[in-house]
Amino acid sequence: MKRREARLDVGGRVNRDRVLNFTWNGKPYKGLEGDTLASALLANGISLVGRSFKYHRPRGIFSAGAEEPNAIVQLETGAYTQPNVKATQVELYEGLEARSVNCWPTVEYDFGAAANLCAKLLPAGFYYKTFMWPSRFWMTYEYFIRRAAGLGRAPKEADPDIYDKAHAHCDVLVVGGGPTGLAAALAAARAGARVVLADEQSEFGGDLLGRRDVMDDAPAVEWVRKVVEELASFSEVRLLPRSTVFGYYDHNYLAIAERRTDHLHPKDGAGTPRQRLWKVRAKQVVLATGSIERPLVFADNDRPGVMLAESARTYLNRYGVKPGRRAVVFTNNDNAYAAAIDLADAGVEIGAIVDLRPDVQGPLPQKARARGLEILAGEAIVATHGRNRVQSVEVMLLSPEGDHVHGTARKIDCDLVCVSGGWSPTVHLFSQSGGKLTYDAGRACFVPGKSKQAERSAGACHGTFGVADCLDEGFAAGLAAAGAAGFTTAGISLIAPAVEQPGEAGLRALPIVPGRAAVGHGKAKHFVDLANDVTAADVRLAAREGYRSVEHTKRYTTLGMGPDQGKTSNVPGLAILAEALGKEIPDVGTTTFRPPYTPVTYGLLAGRDVGEMSDLTRTTPIHEWHAMTGAVFDDAGHWRRPWYYPRAGEDMAAAVRRECRAVRESVGIMDASTLGKIELVGPDAVKVLNQVYANAWDNLAVGRCRYGLMLGEDGMVFDDGVTARLGEHHYLMTTTTGGAARVFGWIDDWLQCEWTNWKVFITSVTEQWATVSIAGPRARDLVRELAAGTDVSAEALPHMAIREAKVAGFPGRVARISFTGELSFELSVPSSYGMALWTACVTAGAKYGLTPFGTEAVHVLRAEKGYIVSGHEFDGTVTPQDLGMGWAVGKTKADFLGRRSLDRSDMKRADRKQLVGLQVQDPNAVLPEGSQVVERVLKAPPMPMIGHVTSSYWSETLKRGIALALVAGGHARMGQTVHIPLEDKVLDAVVVSPVFYDPEGKRLHG
Amino acid sequence: MADSYFRQTALAPLGLAAKATDAPGEAGVLMSEHPLAEHVNLRGDGASVEFLQVARTTIGYALPTEPNTVTEGTNSRALWLGPHEWLLVAPLGTALVATLGRGLAGRAFAATELGDARAVIGLSGPNARDVLAKSCPLDLNPKSFGPGRCAQTKLSRIAAIIAQRDDAPSYEIYVARSVARYTWRWLEDAGSEYGVAIVAG
């Protein structure tokens, strides 16, 4: 195709002194600063930009904005690539690279276009009808469908850009910076309101940028400039250009996608946030979102060169680009005549203005007539011709009823067809806000009805299309919104600029423009949804097949489900469905508008919650020591706990074996700071303990500790831990690391809702204390040194006792609490002393071979003792009795949480899963945790399962594998052999007591 | 004293003191870690005039009863956290827990030392509010949140108490000790587009 320069010498918002180089489908082109990719392509005479989704038909630039169904492109390459962006919304920058999508090998010669030849085989619901049977072939079908479907390609690389989020609060959020929005924002700002004005375009002005309106004897853009300047002077006004309000949620919470560097080359935007998600709470919202021009549905209305009339006008006036050399304007309303006049003024030949209305007398048509433009009233385009661009149209007379055409076809040469079927208010956000739409038959469009939130629509999105009327409505809406937000609006001077507003006669709504052949017969296609290749025949077929609901029809035909979300096809589609069903449009209704208004990037939604910041991490006061010692960390909840401390040449198993040996044979040290700690203060503290724990607490002496099981109301164990009595009415509860917040919430909930008059305060002190556990036969030797001045003998400080003490010289506590089964001390100091305490211990402990041990060694050591762990032995389905811990349930207690559930018959079944030990007959075997236990081994699964392995380790102490398991009726199975089928073998194990080591607890009490 | 040699703030491992500058220049955001202090969580009957009077006598000034406000005495200040809960902040050595224990003896109350459980990050400068807006859902506009205000809120995922100290604006951000580093990282990252200077706490 010969390249044509379509740029005007003067006019528009582009900067002719700044030429930008870009590539399109690998070839270099030039555009101007201020261009979009679409306007730059048109300036280079390129109209064919892509292939359609289903039929691979050639498609051209159809619009100049967010409604674009055709010009879907792949932007940039590699990690920066973006699929499915609309060329009409991409601001041109130096070095931009873009390609067509959905075509191969090239957009001009597309292999997939063969689909167009078998179009009859691809009716509405094609996928549903064809790929249903036989169902096992679905996988095969899906593979090919996935390959054939979709448009662009997602990047494979990680996103190199930065995205962030910000909260904003305002009195008035104005959505849309056209004449209405600017007027509303100005009014609200002058009233003193905090205003946010967001507009999706690169500059404010909206439709005024694409028109030649004169305000106060100057170009309207001059008025825009002055208003924006004044708005910028208010400290409480935030102007957000390049910002799309894409979601309207409850309580006037709106989401805005601000594109901060998308208009720059990816390399120029590096280092700063590319996009920002604004989360706005607005007291009042003014929607001034404008309107979207509707196309007409006529034969082969998808040929490149067919374009919305107002968009052609925008390319001309805003971008200084002639979208064609010879145009035919096809309209059902007066408004499109303005486009014809502008085009003619710019030197575009007007082949004719084809108007569906037989009588055309409005001011704009009269002006066109006076301008010498030919008007074919009461006529219709019945065909378009041309391969990759329209070359001519055929026009015939339309019957008065609008149901058929007659007479002789007249052929008109043209390379541009400007269509206008009227205007649809952009009611998306209003609808998202929960407002109900009403249908305006006169203007053939949905307009906002009753508001549900603190919101008002003004201007074109309210069905008010004249510019003077829009300004008036904008001022009024801005004042009303400021007033509703509590500002005084009396006496605020707002004078609208003088602007000409030609009157307009009504439009003629025809769902389908009739042609030579009936819809669905003959070769011509009448497209409703260009993005998804849905034709009028498809919608009618759906109606014939019984689809009545607009929502079902949408999904069946895919009408409005493309990247443009049906911005130009919604109302035309409804009109065809209504006609086919013999109903009125309001009775058919419209589909629900959902966020986002236009697509947003995943990066925007993720914000800074990526990489190291994707989730919070909690570290103990001793973390630095662990990290510097090379500890491998285990994430528990958000905590980073040392898992094991490998020495040079050690793997995990070797490190854990060494750590276990140290604790059993000499002494080990562990950072226990992460355990949850809750202080209970007040005379009723013991009542709380009696309620939340299953055992009794009345007789716990000051200075002593007790272990307890916490049950849910269902009687199931959900947490466990040791509580110490520090004073008369003062207790310190410890919880599991992961359960701390839940336990606090649980108790707080009961105190706030049920035990409201109990005299007790609970306070989380988890973070106040650094706790070090010293365990092993030499523990006392070390602690005696560290806690000089405190008698730590077995008599003075027996197992489960606690004392205030100076620890390594720091104020703190010493307790005898053991989770390893060894003689064990817990030393606690305020967290700021934690590192000092640890290093003091390590220094003093060197002579005893003090060995730091991590959570893995703890797990092994406690399993040897049969001690339970949350998530392993109890998981919300296990009772104290199941765990063999009936001793931890107060039999004589009047009440405790979960007590009643323990009396249910199901809780007393003998065949409940119960905690047992498993001794594998092969001593070297370590069962995988989670393995299923069976009574009888069958040839292949399924086989009846009687339990599962909850914990399993190599016991360095016992030199064999040990396991804990929950087995049906396990307590009665002692000595029985059970089987654990694995993938490649079956292991046999004997059911034993879960306590493998020191069952008498001699070491513990040592 | 030897004591301060052994005690570490949560962010001590970051070596902030060595990075601190006296001349922040064009930085839009100044960040610091405050030194250790006494932070006493005080619970008691905020609806009882008698309790409030005794508390006033004990600490020398009135506890705040207006939600999300701060009252101040000569050596400490009190942040309203709830109708029956306050956070009292004082320099180390004030012995607030002991003072409250004596003054409120015989009444239903709890005074719990949490100074070691927390980190306090100072955030100030012309863009401090912009930084907080990136993670804090509250409206921090001077019209609704100025000096003398405090609030329990979230910064991203982090539970925090924020208090505004002056019009700079300067904020104190109280977070759990264990998340201090994550918080610092978050704020530093959020501030990077405005320029961050580390200053003495």
Side-chain angles (χ1 to χ4, degrees), chain A residues 55-83:
Chain A
Y55 302 120
H56 288 251
R57 285 166 70 110
R59 290 285 165 79
I61 295 164
F62 187 69
S63 75
E67 69 271 37
E68 177 61 34
N70 286 343
I72 306 295
V73 305
Q74 184 90 24
L75 196 60
E76 298 301 336
T77 55
Y80 289 104
T81 199
Q82 290 182 72

PDB file of all heavy atoms in Angstrom, chain A residues 55-83:
ATOM      1  N   TYR A  55     -13.005 -14.193  13.154  1.00  0.00           N
ATOM      2  CA  TYR A  55     -12.959 -14.414  11.703  1.00  0.00           C
ATOM      3  C   TYR A  55     -11.670 -13.919  11.071  1.00  0.00           C
ATOM      4  O   TYR A  55     -11.480 -14.061   9.875  1.00  0.00           O
ATOM      5  CB  TYR A  55     -14.142 -13.712  11.026  1.00  0.00           C
ATOM      6  CG  TYR A  55     -15.482 -14.170  11.545  1.00  0.00           C
ATOM      7  CD1 TYR A  55     -16.360 -13.270  12.133  1.00  0.00           C
ATOM      8  CD2 TYR A  55     -15.872 -15.508  11.436  1.00  0.00           C
ATOM      9  CE1 TYR A  55     -17.594 -13.684  12.605  1.00  0.00           C
ATOM     10  CE2 TYR A  55     -17.111 -15.922  11.905  1.00  0.00           C
ATOM     11  CZ  TYR A  55     -17.958 -15.010  12.488  1.00  0.00           C
ATOM     12  OH  TYR A  55     -19.176 -15.428  12.958  1.00  0.00           O
ATOM     13  N   HIS A  56     -10.821 -13.283  11.866  1.00  0.00           N
ATOM     14  CA  HIS A  56      -9.568 -12.734  11.333  1.00  0.00           C
ATOM     15  C   HIS A  56      -9.814 -11.770  10.184  1.00  0.00           C
ATOM     16  O   HIS A  56      -9.072 -11.727   9.219  1.00  0.00           O
ATOM     17  CB  HIS A  56      -8.599 -13.853  10.922  1.00  0.00           C
ATOM     18  CG  HIS A  56      -8.004 -14.568  12.091  1.00  0.00           C
ATOM     19  ND1 HIS A  56      -6.696 -14.449  12.469  1.00  0.00           N
ATOM     20  CD2 HIS A  56      -8.573 -15.387  13.007  1.00  0.00           C
ATOM     21  CE1 HIS A  56      -6.471 -15.171  13.550  1.00  0.00           C
ATOM     22  NE2 HIS A  56      -7.598 -15.756  13.905  1.00  0.00           N
ATOM     23  N   ARG A  57     -10.899 -11.013  10.278  1.00  0.00           N
ATOM     24  CA  ARG A  57     -11.169 -10.022   9.227  1.00  0.00           C
ATOM     25  C   ARG A  57     -10.290  -8.796   9.453  1.00  0.00           C
ATOM     26  O   ARG A  57      -9.969  -8.464  10.590  1.00  0.00           O
ATOM     27  CB  ARG A  57     -12.644  -9.608   9.260  1.00  0.00           C
ATOM     28  CG  ARG A  57     -13.556 -10.684   8.676  1.00  0.00           C
ATOM     29  CD  ARG A  57     -15.001 -10.428   8.999  1.00  0.00           C
ATOM     30  NE  ARG A  57     -15.572  -9.283   8.311  1.00  0.00           N
ATOM     31  CZ  ARG A  57     -16.482  -9.383   7.337  1.00  0.00           C
ATOM     32  NH1 ARG A  57     -16.880 -10.573   6.905  1.00  0.00           N
ATOM     33  NH2 ARG A  57     -17.004  -8.304   6.804  1.00  0.00           N
ATOM     34  N   PRO A  58      -9.880  -8.148   8.381  1.00  0.00           N
ATOM     35  CA  PRO A  58      -9.055  -6.939   8.553  1.00  0.00           C
ATOM     36  C   PRO A  58      -9.833  -5.860   9.304  1.00  0.00           C
ATOM     37  O   PRO A  58     -11.023  -5.669   9.054  1.00  0.00           O
ATOM     38  CB  PRO A  58      -8.741  -6.509   7.116  1.00  0.00           C
ATOM     39  CG  PRO A  58      -9.722  -7.218   6.252  1.00  0.00           C
ATOM     40  CD  PRO A  58     -10.137  -8.459   6.970  1.00  0.00           C
ATOM     41  N   ARG A  59      -9.164  -5.212  10.201  1.00  0.00           N
ATOM     42  CA  ARG A  59      -9.837  -4.180  10.996  1.00  0.00           C
ATOM     43  C   ARG A  59      -8.972  -2.934  11.086  1.00  0.00           C
ATOM     44  O   ARG A  59      -7.743  -3.003  11.123  1.00  0.00           O
ATOM     45  CB  ARG A  59     -10.123  -4.699  12.412  1.00  0.00           C
ATOM     46  CG  ARG A  59     -11.209  -5.778  12.479  1.00  0.00           C
ATOM     47  CD  ARG A  59     -12.602  -5.185  12.300  1.00  0.00           C
ATOM     48  NE  ARG A  59     -13.605  -6.205  12.010  1.00  0.00           N
ATOM     49  CZ  ARG A  59     -14.161  -6.994  12.913  1.00  0.00           C
ATOM     50  NH1 ARG A  59     -13.813  -6.906  14.178  1.00  0.00           N
ATOM     51  NH2 ARG A  59     -15.077  -7.869  12.552  1.00  0.00           N
ATOM     52  N   GLY A  60      -9.654  -1.792  11.162  1.00  0.00           N
ATOM     53  CA  GLY A  60      -8.944  -0.521  11.229  1.00  0.00           C
ATOM     54  C   GLY A  60      -9.283   0.237  12.496  1.00  0.00           C
ATOM     55  O   GLY A  60     -10.109  -0.197  13.299  1.00  0.00           O
ATOM     56  N   ILE A  61      -8.634   1.367  12.651  1.00  0.00           N
ATOM     57  CA  ILE A  61      -8.889   2.216  13.824  1.00  0.00           C
ATOM     58  C   ILE A  61     -10.326   2.703  13.741  1.00  0.00           C
ATOM     59  O   ILE A  61     -10.743   3.269  12.729  1.00  0.00           O
ATOM     60  CB  ILE A  61      -7.886   3.382  13.853  1.00  0.00           C
ATOM     61  CG1 ILE A  61      -6.478   2.823  14.057  1.00  0.00           C
ATOM     62  CG2 ILE A  61      -8.251   4.384  14.937  1.00  0.00           C
ATOM     63  CD1 ILE A  61      -5.377   3.817  13.720  1.00  0.00           C
ATOM     64  N   PHE A  62     -11.069   2.474  14.805  1.00  0.00           N
ATOM     65  CA  PHE A  62     -12.505   2.711  14.769  1.00  0.00           C
ATOM     66  C   PHE A  62     -12.902   3.933  15.589  1.00  0.00           C
ATOM     67  O   PHE A  62     -13.915   4.546  15.351  1.00  0.00           O
ATOM     68  CB  PHE A  62     -13.211   1.462  15.309  1.00  0.00           C
ATOM     69  CG  PHE A  62     -14.705   1.491  15.168  1.00  0.00           C
ATOM     70  CD1 PHE A  62     -15.303   1.404  13.915  1.00  0.00           C
ATOM     71  CD2 PHE A  62     -15.519   1.607  16.283  1.00  0.00           C
ATOM     72  CE1 PHE A  62     -16.685   1.433  13.776  1.00  0.00           C
ATOM     73  CE2 PHE A  62     -16.908   1.626  16.152  1.00  0.00           C
ATOM     74  CZ  PHE A  62     -17.493   1.540  14.895  1.00  0.00           C
ATOM     75  N   SER A  63     -12.095   4.240  16.593  1.00  0.00           N
ATOM     76  CA  SER A  63     -12.478   5.315  17.509  1.00  0.00           C
ATOM     77  C   SER A  63     -11.218   6.070  17.911  1.00  0.00           C
ATOM     78  O   SER A  63     -10.127   5.810  17.411  1.00  0.00           O
ATOM     79  CB  SER A  63     -13.153   4.738  18.746  1.00  0.00           C
ATOM     80  OG  SER A  63     -12.178   4.142  19.589  1.00  0.00           O
ATOM     81  N   ALA A  64     -11.379   6.984  18.858  1.00  0.00           N
ATOM     82  CA  ALA A  64     -10.218   7.744  19.330  1.00  0.00           C
ATOM     83  C   ALA A  64     -10.082   7.643  20.848  1.00  0.00           C
ATOM     84  O   ALA A  64      -9.445   8.478  21.473  1.00  0.00           O
ATOM     85  CB  ALA A  64     -10.345   9.209  18.908  1.00  0.00           C
ATOM     86  N   GLY A  65     -10.680   6.592  21.439  1.00  0.00           N
ATOM     87  CA  GLY A  65     -10.625   6.567  22.898  1.00  0.00           C
ATOM     88  C   GLY A  65     -10.745   5.182  23.499  1.00  0.00           C
ATOM     89  O   GLY A  65     -10.398   4.170  22.874  1.00  0.00           O
ATOM     90  N   ALA A  66     -11.250   5.151  24.736  1.00  0.00           N
ATOM     91  CA  ALA A  66     -11.319   3.924  25.531  1.00  0.00           C
ATOM     92  C   ALA A  66     -12.271   2.900  24.926  1.00  0.00           C
ATOM     93  O   ALA A  66     -12.230   1.725  25.278  1.00  0.00           O
ATOM     94  CB  ALA A  66     -11.775   4.260  26.954  1.00  0.00           C
ATOM     95  N   GLU A  67     -13.130   3.346  24.018  1.00  0.00           N
ATOM     96  CA  GLU A  67     -14.135   2.439  23.464  1.00  0.00           C
ATOM     97  C   GLU A  67     -13.592   1.602  22.308  1.00  0.00           C
ATOM     98  O   GLU A  67     -14.304   0.771  21.765  1.00  0.00           O
ATOM     99  CB  GLU A  67     -15.360   3.240  22.994  1.00  0.00           C
ATOM    100  CG  GLU A  67     -15.133   4.144  21.764  1.00  0.00           C
ATOM    101  CD  GLU A  67     -14.666   5.545  22.121  1.00  0.00           C
ATOM    102  OE1 GLU A  67     -13.883   5.679  23.065  1.00  0.00           O
ATOM    103  OE2 GLU A  67     -15.081   6.502  21.435  1.00  0.00           O
ATOM    104  N   GLU A  68     -12.322   1.800  21.955  1.00  0.00           N
ATOM    105  CA  GLU A  68     -11.775   1.178  20.748  1.00  0.00           C
ATOM    106  C   GLU A  68     -11.897  -0.350  20.763  1.00  0.00           C
ATOM    107  O   GLU A  68     -11.348  -1.015  21.632  1.00  0.00           O
ATOM    108  CB  GLU A  68     -10.294   1.570  20.597  1.00  0.00           C
ATOM    109  CG  GLU A  68      -9.593   0.930  19.400  1.00  0.00           C
ATOM    110  CD  GLU A  68     -10.238   1.322  18.073  1.00  0.00           C
ATOM    111  OE1 GLU A  68     -10.726   2.463  17.951  1.00  0.00           O
ATOM    112  OE2 GLU A  68     -10.263   0.471  17.167  1.00  0.00           O
ATOM    113  N   PRO A  69     -12.593  -0.916  19.778  1.00  0.00           N
ATOM    114  CA  PRO A  69     -12.707  -2.379  19.726  1.00  0.00           C
ATOM    115  C   PRO A  69     -11.673  -3.046  18.812  1.00  0.00           C
ATOM    116  O   PRO A  69     -11.449  -4.247  18.919  1.00  0.00           O
ATOM    117  CB  PRO A  69     -14.113  -2.586  19.157  1.00  0.00           C
ATOM    118  CG  PRO A  69     -14.334  -1.388  18.275  1.00  0.00           C
ATOM    119  CD  PRO A  69     -13.516  -0.253  18.832  1.00  0.00           C
ATOM    120  N   ASN A  70     -11.072  -2.302  17.900  1.00  0.00           N
ATOM    121  CA  ASN A  70     -10.256  -2.914  16.852  1.00  0.00           C
ATOM    122  C   ASN A  70      -8.753  -2.777  17.058  1.00  0.00           C
ATOM    123  O   ASN A  70      -8.001  -3.731  16.883  1.00  0.00           O
ATOM    124  CB  ASN A  70     -10.570  -2.277  15.493  1.00  0.00           C
ATOM    125  CG  ASN A  70     -11.903  -2.742  14.947  1.00  0.00           C
ATOM    126  OD1 ASN A  70     -12.443  -3.757  15.397  1.00  0.00           O
ATOM    127  ND2 ASN A  70     -12.446  -1.996  14.007  1.00  0.00           N
ATOM    128  N   ALA A  71      -8.334  -1.549  17.365  1.00  0.00           N
ATOM    129  CA  ALA A  71      -6.898  -1.254  17.349  1.00  0.00           C
ATOM    130  C   ALA A  71      -6.252  -1.733  18.644  1.00  0.00           C
ATOM    131  O   ALA A  71      -5.773  -0.969  19.464  1.00  0.00           O
ATOM    132  CB  ALA A  71      -6.663   0.243  17.138  1.00  0.00           C
ATOM    133  N   ILE A  72      -6.259  -3.055  18.824  1.00  0.00           N
ATOM    134  CA  ILE A  72      -5.681  -3.699  20.001  1.00  0.00           C
ATOM    135  C   ILE A  72      -4.270  -4.107  19.603  1.00  0.00           C
ATOM    136  O   ILE A  72      -4.091  -4.856  18.644  1.00  0.00           O
ATOM    137  CB  ILE A  72      -6.490  -4.966  20.360  1.00  0.00           C
ATOM    138  CG1 ILE A  72      -7.963  -4.631  20.525  1.00  0.00           C
ATOM    139  CG2 ILE A  72      -5.912  -5.653  21.578  1.00  0.00           C
ATOM    140  CD1 ILE A  72      -8.283  -3.731  21.662  1.00  0.00           C
ATOM    141  N   VAL A  73      -3.284  -3.604  20.328  1.00  0.00           N
ATOM    142  CA  VAL A  73      -1.901  -3.844  19.895  1.00  0.00           C
ATOM    143  C   VAL A  73      -1.060  -4.444  21.022  1.00  0.00           C
ATOM    144  O   VAL A  73      -1.431  -4.398  22.186  1.00  0.00           O
ATOM    145  CB  VAL A  73      -1.234  -2.541  19.390  1.00  0.00           C
ATOM    146  CG1 VAL A  73      -2.064  -1.905  18.299  1.00  0.00           C
ATOM    147  CG2 VAL A  73      -0.983  -1.565  20.535  1.00  0.00           C
ATOM    148  N   GLN A  74       0.060  -4.988  20.595  1.00  0.00           N
ATOM    149  CA  GLN A  74       1.079  -5.475  21.524  1.00  0.00           C
ATOM    150  C   GLN A  74       2.139  -4.394  21.605  1.00  0.00           C
ATOM    151  O   GLN A  74       2.756  -4.054  20.598  1.00  0.00           O
ATOM    152  CB  GLN A  74       1.672  -6.791  21.004  1.00  0.00           C
ATOM    153  CG  GLN A  74       2.679  -7.446  21.918  1.00  0.00           C
ATOM    154  CD  GLN A  74       2.026  -8.411  22.896  1.00  0.00           C
ATOM    155  OE1 GLN A  74       0.933  -8.926  22.647  1.00  0.00           O
ATOM    156  NE2 GLN A  74       2.675  -8.646  24.017  1.00  0.00           N
ATOM    157  N   LEU A  75       2.344  -3.850  22.795  1.00  0.00           N
ATOM    158  CA  LEU A  75       3.262  -2.734  22.967  1.00  0.00           C
ATOM    159  C   LEU A  75       4.596  -3.235  23.513  1.00  0.00           C
ATOM    160  O   LEU A  75       4.615  -4.030  24.441  1.00  0.00           O
ATOM    161  CB  LEU A  75       2.631  -1.736  23.943  1.00  0.00           C
ATOM    162  CG  LEU A  75       3.223  -0.325  24.005  1.00  0.00           C
ATOM    163  CD1 LEU A  75       3.125   0.366  22.653  1.00  0.00           C
ATOM    164  CD2 LEU A  75       2.509   0.490  25.067  1.00  0.00           C
ATOM    165  N   GLU A  76       5.660  -2.746  22.942  1.00  0.00           N
ATOM    166  CA  GLU A  76       7.022  -3.061  23.402  1.00  0.00           C
ATOM    167  C   GLU A  76       7.296  -4.573  23.372  1.00  0.00           C
ATOM    168  O   GLU A  76       6.462  -5.361  22.944  1.00  0.00           O
ATOM    169  CB  GLU A  76       7.296  -2.466  24.795  1.00  0.00           C
ATOM    170  CG  GLU A  76       7.203  -0.946  24.833  1.00  0.00           C
ATOM    171  CD  GLU A  76       8.170  -0.247  23.870  1.00  0.00           C
ATOM    172  OE1 GLU A  76       9.189  -0.840  23.506  1.00  0.00           O
ATOM    173  OE2 GLU A  76       7.881   0.888  23.447  1.00  0.00           O
ATOM    174  N   THR A  77       8.500  -4.934  23.823  1.00  0.00           N
ATOM    175  CA  THR A  77       8.914  -6.338  23.760  1.00  0.00           C
ATOM    176  C   THR A  77       9.540  -6.750  25.093  1.00  0.00           C
ATOM    177  O   THR A  77       9.764  -5.920  25.964  1.00  0.00           O
ATOM    178  CB  THR A  77       9.970  -6.541  22.645  1.00  0.00           C
ATOM    179  OG1 THR A  77      11.040  -5.632  22.894  1.00  0.00           O
ATOM    180  CG2 THR A  77       9.393  -6.298  21.273  1.00  0.00           C
ATOM    181  N   GLY A  78       9.816  -8.025  25.205  1.00  0.00           N
ATOM    182  CA  GLY A  78      10.497  -8.550  26.396  1.00  0.00           C
ATOM    183  C   GLY A  78       9.700  -8.297  27.650  1.00  0.00           C
ATOM    184  O   GLY A  78       8.473  -8.387  27.656  1.00  0.00           O
ATOM    185  N   ALA A  79      10.424  -7.942  28.705  1.00  0.00           N
ATOM    186  CA  ALA A  79       9.768  -7.767  30.006  1.00  0.00           C
ATOM    187  C   ALA A  79       8.800  -6.592  29.993  1.00  0.00           C
ATOM    188  O   ALA A  79       7.887  -6.522  30.799  1.00  0.00           O
ATOM    189  CB  ALA A  79      10.816  -7.550  31.089  1.00  0.00           C
ATOM    190  N   TYR A  80       9.004  -5.643  29.080  1.00  0.00           N
ATOM    191  CA  TYR A  80       8.169  -4.445  29.053  1.00  0.00           C
ATOM    192  C   TYR A  80       6.928  -4.607  28.184  1.00  0.00           C
ATOM    193  O   TYR A  80       6.146  -3.691  28.048  1.00  0.00           O
ATOM    194  CB  TYR A  80       8.975  -3.243  28.556  1.00  0.00           C
ATOM    195  CG  TYR A  80      10.009  -2.765  29.555  1.00  0.00           C
ATOM    196  CD1 TYR A  80      11.349  -3.057  29.380  1.00  0.00           C
ATOM    197  CD2 TYR A  80       9.618  -2.040  30.679  1.00  0.00           C
ATOM    198  CE1 TYR A  80      12.290  -2.622  30.297  1.00  0.00           C
ATOM    199  CE2 TYR A  80      10.557  -1.600  31.605  1.00  0.00           C
ATOM    200  CZ  TYR A  80      11.892  -1.895  31.410  1.00  0.00           C
ATOM    201  OH  TYR A  80      12.817  -1.471  32.314  1.00  0.00           O
ATOM    202  N   THR A  81       6.776  -5.779  27.584  1.00  0.00           N
ATOM    203  CA  THR A  81       5.674  -5.905  26.641  1.00  0.00           C
ATOM    204  C   THR A  81       4.335  -5.860  27.355  1.00  0.00           C
ATOM    205  O   THR A  81       4.194  -6.303  28.491  1.00  0.00           O
ATOM    206  CB  THR A  81       5.809  -7.189  25.803  1.00  0.00           C
ATOM    207  OG1 THR A  81       4.988  -7.049  24.639  1.00  0.00           O
ATOM    208  CG2 THR A  81       5.361  -8.414  26.582  1.00  0.00           C
ATOM    209  N   GLN A  82       3.355  -5.267  26.656  1.00  0.00           N
ATOM    210  CA  GLN A  82       1.996  -5.237  27.191  1.00  0.00           C
ATOM    211  C   GLN A  82       1.051  -5.719  26.112  1.00  0.00           C
ATOM    212  O   GLN A  82       1.022  -5.148  25.027  1.00  0.00           O
ATOM    213  CB  GLN A  82       1.585  -3.810  27.533  1.00  0.00           C
ATOM    214  CG  GLN A  82       2.278  -3.207  28.705  1.00  0.00           C
ATOM    215  CD  GLN A  82       1.716  -1.816  28.916  1.00  0.00           C
ATOM    216  OE1 GLN A  82       0.598  -1.646  29.361  1.00  0.00           O
ATOM    217  NE2 GLN A  82       2.478  -0.825  28.565  1.00  0.00           N
ATOM    218  N   PRO A  83       0.265  -6.722  26.418  1.00  0.00           N
ATOM    219  CA  PRO A  83      -0.684  -7.191  25.430  1.00  0.00           C
ATOM    220  C   PRO A  83      -1.976  -6.377  25.467  1.00  0.00           C
ATOM    221  O   PRO A  83      -2.317  -5.791  26.494  1.00  0.00           O
ATOM    222  CB  PRO A  83      -0.954  -8.631  25.875  1.00  0.00           C
ATOM    223  CG  PRO A  83      -0.736  -8.621  27.349  1.00  0.00           C
ATOM    224  CD  PRO A  83       0.257  -7.527  27.644  1.00  0.00           C
TER     225      PRO A  83
END
